[in-house]
Amino acid sequence: MTDLAPLTGAAAERSDPAAPVEHMKWWGWGVPGVAFHHEDKPAFAPFVLKAVGLDLHAVRPLDQPDFGAIDVPASIAGGDLRAALADAVGAERVRDGDLDRVVHTYGKSIRDLIKVRAGRLPRVPDLVVYPADETAVQAVVDVVVAHDAVLIPFGGGSNIAGSLEPVPNETRPVVSLDMGLLDRVLDIDEGSGLARIQAGALGPALEAQLNARGWTIGHFPDSFTHSSLGGWIATRSSGMQSDKYGDIADITKGLHVARPGGLLELRPSPSASTGPSVKEMVLGSEGRLGVITEATVQVHRTPAKRVIHAYFFPNWRAGSRAMRQIAESDVHPAVTRVSDGRETGFSLATSKESKGFSGLAQRGLFAFLKRRGWNLDEMCLSFIGYEGAPDHVAKQRRAVERIVKRNGGIGVGTGPGVLYDQKKFDTPYLRDFLLDRGTAGDVSETSVPWTGLDRMHDGVIAAAEAAYESIGRKGWIMSHLSHSYHSGACLYFTFAFVMGEDPEAEYDVVKHAIQQAFIDLGGVPSHHHGIGVEHAEWLPDVLSESGIGVLEGLFTATDPGRNLNPAKITAS
Amino acid sequence: MTDLAPLTGAAAERSDPAAPVEHMKWWGWGVPGVAFHHEDKPAFAPFVLKAVGLDLHAVRPLDQPDFGAIDVPASIAGGDLRAALADAVGAERVRDGDLDRVVHTYGKSIRDLIKVRAGRLPRVPDLVVYPADETAVQAVVDVVVAHDAVLIPFGGGSNIAGSLEPVPNETRPVVSLDMGLLDRVLDIDEGSGLARIQAGALGPALEAQLNARGWTIGHFPDSFTHSSLGGWIATRSSGMQSDKYGDIADITKGLHVARPGGLLELRPSPSASTGPSVKEMVLGSEGRLGVITEATVQVHRTPAKRVIHAYFFPNWRAGSRAMRQIAESDVHPAVTRVSDGRETGFSLATSKESKGFSGLAQRGLFAFLKRRGWNLDEMCLSFIGYEGAPDHVAKQRRAVERIVKRNGGIGVGTGPGVLYDQKKFDTPYLRDFLLDRGTAGDVSETSVPWTGLDRMHDGVIAAAEAAYESIGRKGWIMSHLSHSYHSGACLYFTFAFVMGEDPEAEYDVVKHAIQQAFIDLGGVPSHHHGIGVEHAEWLPDVLSESGIGVLEGLFTATDPGRNLNPAKITAS
C-alpha cells in the first residue's frame, strides 16, 4: 500500500492482542497503524472543497474514538452454552470480552462506522468463538442449534450490507463464529486447476499460498486485504479481474458447509446437471444455510504477462460504448473499467505530485487534448487489463485499441495502471479519513443491460443530487463501470456528503434514493455486495413476491428454529 | 438431415393430426415419416456385426407397433377438474384421447421406448392441456393445485431421465401441460444481446426466429430438433457449442415461472448478488417449482465465420491431453470434441461411401498413418469449432493446431466437420433403427476434473464390459469428450447390446454399472441430461445427505401438496 502512512502511538496498536486472530480496527477499516494522508497530493484538498464543501485545511480531525467511553451490553450467554462451546472449540477459543464482541457486531459500511463510533450497540454478540478446524465448526453449529442460540459466521468483517449484525431485539444468545483460524490452502490439483481452501483464508494469505506454487485464484475484490474466501462465497463477490476469472460463483466448484446435523459436501465438478443447484443456494446465503468451511475453487497459473493500460475517452458515452464494443468483440480482457468524468477528476486529484498523472507529461497531454476540443471535466479514464502469453496480450491489446480509437479514445500507457494496481485496495482508508473529518462516504453498485447503462448512470446521479438537495447537504457522487458481461455491466457509485445533525437519517435518504434508482432504471439491488439488511427492501422488485416466497421457503425448511443468521436477505 | 430417408405409408402419418401441436412418434424418436437407413453406408453392417453381433442382413425389422393393440388405462379426471381446465385454456385445448395421453406419458430414453412399445403403461396422464399463453399456464397451475391434482410440464418430450412420467401409483388426476403453443421470440434487445422467448419454443423454431434478425442463442443440444427452451432450462442442458456460448445456466438471464398463487418473475440481469440464486433453483427443477413460461436469454450476432475442423490423434491419451491443453490456453474454440478409438470407428462406419472419410483420400491418409506407426483401431477423431471474425478464427486455429501437432495429431480439413454438422442431430433415429432390430442403445454422460478424465474413460468402459459379461450379452460402448471447462470436461458414453429375454432388467444392469462408475471415479450422475428418476439414486453421492435435505426442504416448502411433478430429482 504505497499511498498510506503508518500511524504512531495509540492508533498503531493492535486492537486486541490476545485475540486468536488479528482484527481490523474496531472503529474503522484496516490494520491498526495505517491511514490515508494527503500531504503529498496537492490537488486533493481543492477537490474535496469543490466536491462536498469541506476545507481540509480548516477542519480538525476527530480524535480516535475511546473504547473505554463506550457502553457495551453484558453478554447473556449462559453457562451451559459456554461449556458446550468450550467443548466444541476449546475453552481458550470462546471469548466474551467487550472489544472482541464489539469487533464482531458490525461490518464496515459507513453506517456501521457511524454507529459503532457513537457507541450505538443495540445488540452485540454474546460470545465469539474461534474454531480451529472444520470439525470444530460443525460442533459449534450443532451446539448453537441444540441450545436455541443464534449463529453469525464472521470472515474478515468487511461486509457493508449489514449481514453481520444481530437482530436488534434478539432475546436468545448470539454467537459470532470467527473463521480466522481456518486459513490454509489444503491442496492443489495441478492437473485440473482446482484448489481446496479453508473458507476463513483472507485474500492475501490465500493468494500467497497459491502464488508460492505458481497459481492464482484471480479474485480481487476491493475488500481483498480483509475479506475471506467464505465471505466472498456467502455474498456472491466479484473481483477486479472477474471479466477473465469469473465472479466467485463461477470460480467455486465444490463446497463444504457445516449445517445442523452434519456437513453438507458438494463434490467438485466442472459443470453438472444435478437438479436445482445447491451450490448456488449456498452462494449468497450470508450464513442462513450454515457455515461455509471449505471450498474447491478453480485456480489458474500466474500469467506469463500481466499489464494494465490506461486510456482517456472524451466523455462517458464514448467510454461506455467502447466497453460494450469490447464485450461483444472476440477479445476478452481481464479488466474493463471506465470512470465517468467526476471519478476521473477524483483519480487525478488523488495522484501524488511526482507520479502518474501529475507530472509534466500529463499537463502536456491535457493541453493537447484541450486543443483537440476535449472538455477535461468530462474526460473519462479507463483501465483495460491484459493477461496471458505475451503474444496473446499483444493481440488483445491491438484489438482493444482499435475499439478505443474508433470511440475517440487515446492511450496513455501503463504508468497510471501500475499506480492503480498498487492503490486499488486503499479507498476504504480514504473513506475513514473523511469520516474523521465529518464526511460520510459510501458505495453502491448495480448491474444493468447495456441498453440501460447510460440512462442508469445519469439517473442515479440525478437521484443522488435530488437527495442531497432534500437533506440540504452538499454532496458528491461519481461512478465507474467495473465489470463487463455479454449482456451488460456493473456500475459502481461512490458518494459522499458532509454530515449534519442526524447522519444516519441523512445517509438513509441518499442511500435510499440511489437504490431506488437502481430498481426504477432496470437494475438489481446489488451486483456483488450482497443483500444483508441494507438491500433487502428492494429484493422483491427483482425476484417478485413469488421469488421471495421461494427464498423464505428455503430458509424456513432448512432452519426451522431460525438459529442461522436470521432476518438477513429476507425478513422471515 | 441429409442422412435420413423419408418413410412412406402408415409410418409416414402424423401421430395425431388433431392435436394442437405436432408430436414425435408415440413409439420412437422424431418426425413421423423419417428414419435411418444404411444401404448407402457399406461399412455400417460389418461394424454392427463386430460390435454387438447383430447381422443386419439376416435380421428382420419389427413392424411399426400397432397403437390399437395397446391397452390404455382410462382417464380418472373428474368433471370439475375438466371444467376448470377448460375455463383456463379453452375447451378445445383440454384433451383426453388415448394417443395424446400416451405421447405425454414418457420421454424418449431407450427404457421409455421399450416400455411404450410393449404397452407397459402403469400410469398415463389423465388429461393433456395446451395453454396458448402465459396467463393460461398460470391458470392451469392454480387449477391443478386447487383440485389437488398433479401437474407435469411437457416441452418437446425428448427427456431421457424419466422426468416426464407420472408416479406409477399416483391416485390423484395427472395433468400433462404441453407448452407447444408458446413458441415465439417475443423481443430482442439488440443493444444488450438479450432475447425474451416463450419457453415452449423448440430449437428450430427459436433459432429460425432469431436468425431472421441476425442472432443466435448458440445452444445446440443433441435433442435440438425436438427439445424446448423451457426443457433446456428445467434440465440444465448443454449444447454442442457451449464451450463458447455457455451452458443454458449461463445463457439464462431472466425467468418467468408459473407458480401456485402467481407468476415468479426474475428480472434479467447480467450478474447479480441477490442472495441464494432463485434462478439457479429453477434451473434443473424439472417442473418441481412450477412451469417455466418465458426466459430472457443472451443471444449473439450470428458469427461472420463458423467452421469445424477435423483432426486425428494417434490414441485417446493424446487426444484428451490436447483438449486439456486447449482449455488451459488463451484460446477458446466454440467446439472441442474428441472421440475415442471405438467411437472413431463408429463414425467412419456411418459415413457414406462417396463422402467424408470413405473416399480415396481417406484410404490414402490411413495408409500414410499406418506407415507412421499408428494403430488405426486406437486412432481418435476430433472436431474443433471456430467462430468469430475471420482473423480471429484464423488466429484461434493456428494456436489450436500448434497444440494438436505437439500431441502427435494431424489435421484433415473441414470436410468431415461439414458432415458432422449436418448429421449431428440424427443419432436418435439410428438408435430407433437398432431397437427395431432387437438392439438397445442408450447414452450416459458425466463430468470430471481433468486429472480423473482418462481413468474415468477407461473405468466406465471396463464397468460396462463387466456388466455385459454378467448379463451374458455381447455389448458395445464408446465415448467422446464433448465439452471442455477450465477444470475438467464432460465425457459422453454411447452403449448398445442385443436384447435378451428381459431387456429392461438387462438394461438396468448395464446402466447401473456405468452410473456407479461415474460416482466411484469422481464424476457426477449427469453433466446435462438431468436427474429425473433415472439418476436420483446417485444424487446423495455428490450432494451428500445434507444437500439432499436442502433440496427436499426446498421442494416441500414450495409445494407442500406435492402437486408439481412429485418424486422427480428427490423422492420426497
Side-chain angles (χ1 to χ4, degrees), chain B residues 345-381:
Chain B
F346 168 80
S347 292
L348 298 177
T350 51
S351 290
K352 291 188 192 175
E353 193 168 24
S354 58
K355 289 192 181 174
F357 303 115
S358 303
L360 278 173
Q362 172 198 341
R363 287 196 285 272
L365 172 70
F366 292 169
F368 166 76
L369 293 175
K370 258 186 172 166
R371 285 196 303 273
R372 275 180 60 171
W374 286 33
N375 175 347
L376 297 191
D377 288 338
E378 291 187 5
M379 179 178 73
C380 291
L381 172 62

Side-chain angles (χ1 to χ4, degrees), chain A residues 189 235 267 271 273 299 447 451 486, chain B residues 189 235 271 273 299 447 486 523:
Chain A
D189 173 353
T235 56
R267 177 176 287 198
S271 184
S273 169
V299 293
S447 78
T451 42
H486 174 74
Chain B
D189 173 352
T235 56
S271 184
S273 171
V299 293
S447 77
H486 174 75

Side-chain angles (χ1 to χ4, degrees), chain B residues 73-311:
Chain B
S75 171
I76 66 163
D80 284 2
L81 176 62
R82 288 168 185 261
L85 289 171
D87 275 354
V89 302
E92 74 284 11
R93 300 201 186 99
V94 180
R95 290 168 57 89
D96 67 356
D98 284 352
L99 183 53
D100 219 336
R101 290 167 55 223
V102 169
V103 161
H104 290 84
T105 299
Y106 291 120
K108 296 296 183 192
S109 75
I110 191 73
R111 196 204 298 273
D112 294 335
L113 299 190
I114 291 171
K115 285 196 286 197
V116 79
R117 287 175 178 210
R120 199 134 63 245
L121 298 165
R123 193 67 177 86
V124 170
D126 299 292
L127 295 173
V128 181
V129 296
Y130 297 85
D133 57 29
E134 184 172 80
T135 307
V137 176
Q138 179 66 53
V140 169
V141 171
D142 289 328
V143 163
V144 164
V145 173
H147 288 76
D148 194 19
V150 166
L151 187 69
I152 304 180
F154 190 99
S158 67
N159 186 276
I160 59 171
S163 310
L164 299 174
E165 63 195 61
V167 174
N169 58 359
E170 180 62 62
T171 54
R172 300 171 295 176
V174 175
V175 178
S176 178
L177 188 161
D178 191 308
M179 286 289 292
L181 294 178
L182 285 89
D183 65 351
R184 283 179 305 126
V185 173
L186 299 173
D187 182 46
I188 304 177
D189 173 352
E190 305 220 351
S192 304
L194 286 170
R196 275 178 60 219
I197 306 179
Q198 290 183 307
L202 299 185
L206 177 164
E207 196 62 11
Q209 292 174 74
L210 290 175
N211 289 174
R213 292 174 60 181
W215 295 86
T216 178
I217 191 173
H219 192 74
F220 304 101
D222 290 1
S223 62
F224 178 77
T225 54
H226 295 87
S227 57
S228 67
L229 173 60
W232 300 340
I233 294 169
T235 56
R236 295 188 169 272
S237 169
S238 297
M240 295 173 185
Q241 286 150 240
S242 291
D243 284 6
K244 171 181 165 72
Y245 294 98
D247 297 326
I248 201 71
D250 307 306
I251 291 171
T252 303
K253 296 300 171 191
L255 278 174
H256 284 194
V257 184
R259 282 197 31 77
L263 203 62
L264 168 63
E265 295 183 68
L266 302 179
R267 178 177 287 200
S269 163
S271 184
S273 171
T274 46
S277 173
V278 177
K279 183 182 85 180
E280 292 273 1
M281 297 181 211
V282 175
L283 279 155
S285 60
E286 302 185 8
R288 293 209 59 170
L289 294 184
V291 183
I292 300 162
T293 56
E294 177 186 314
T296 299
V297 295
Q298 64 183 32
V299 293
H300 295 249
R301 294 206 188 268
T302 46
K305 192 170 166 76
R306 175 174 185 277
V307 64
I308 297 178
H309 276 254
Y311 305 90

